[in-house]
Amino acid sequence: MITRYEQALESDVQAIVDLLAADPLGSQREGLAPDLHQKYQSAFQRIDQDSNQELWTVKSEEGEVIGCFQLSFLQYLTYQGGLRAQIEGVRLKESVRGQGLGQEMFEWAIARSKEKGAHLLQLTTDKKRPEALKFYQKLGFVASHEGMKLHF
């Protein structure tokens, strides 16, 4: 399958939200009701206007959005003023899983992070996703820190 990587357009927002909502955890967080559309559009506009944020789509040869992820570039004073990349919202359409696209997508995201000057790519994964943890470890990610969140 031929894929291409494109920065998301406003017209891609609904397809991205559909991907985010298409798994057990995402279905609890995301909403597909028409009244939520403006919230997603507003978030997209803020992401699109921030030079430290990149929302990417993975498109099939036919132009269908089959995957997505967001790269955030975080400037630090640590690591001699290093730049970190963080990847979030990683999704692939269920019908294309198991074809090596997940690995290809991460290889692309890693190359993009290096191109921007990042010294590392970090991610978090929900402990309720053990298959994702195994996948990330297979790609070379190391569970080096214990993460914590405080929801408001």
Side-chain angles (χ1 to χ4, degrees):
M1 173 181 284
I2 297 172
T3 56
R4 63 182 191 268
Y5 296 83
E6 298 178 1
Q7 282 203 270
L9 303 172
E10 193 165 352
S11 59
D12 296 323
V13 171
Q14 188 60 57
I16 293 169
V17 173
D18 290 346
L19 286 171
L20 295 173
D23 70 47
L25 295 178
S27 67
Q28 297 171 19
R29 295 188 294 241
E30 307 308 333
L32 301 175
D35 62 326
L36 294 175
H37 184 72
Q38 186 54 45
K39 285 186 177 185
Y40 290 113
Q41 291 293 331
S42 294
F44 170 80
Q45 289 167 5
R46 288 190 302 276
I47 292 165
D48 194 47
Q49 293 169 5
D50 185 338
S51 63
N52 293 311
Q53 304 295 323
E54 296 181 356
L55 184 58
W56 290 94
T57 59
V58 182
K59 293 189 177 177
S60 68
E61 191 173 8
E62 297 79 26
E64 177 189 8
V65 176
I66 57 171
C68 63
F69 59 92
Q70 182 172 339
L71 288 174
S72 300
F73 296 95
L74 310 164
Q75 185 65 63
Y76 284 82
L77 286 177
T78 60
Y79 287 90
Q80 298 90 45
L83 184 70
R84 293 179 187 210
Q86 181 156 320
I87 190 167
E88 293 283 340
V90 178
R91 297 292 191 282
L92 270 177
K93 193 171 183 176
E94 191 169 352
S95 63
V96 299
R97 292 182 193 157
Q99 300 176 32
L101 291 175
Q103 181 170 334
E104 176 190 305
M105 186 166 63
F106 265 87
E107 289 169 356
W108 193 95
I110 290 166
R112 175 65 181 153
S113 299
K114 289 177 179 178
E115 178 183 299
K116 291 277 287 190
H119 68 93
L120 68 84
L121 176 62
Q122 63 187 21
L123 58 80
T124 61
T125 188
D126 196 297
K127 291 181 179 185
K128 296 174 188 161
R129 297 182 193 267
E131 69 289 345
L133 180 61
K134 288 178 188 173
F135 173 72
Y136 298 139
Q137 289 172 331
K138 186 178 113 182
L139 292 172
F141 286 86
V142 177
S144 62
H145 291 68
E146 185 72 24
M148 302 172 79
K149 293 183 179 184
L150 177 63
H151 285 271
F152 301 116

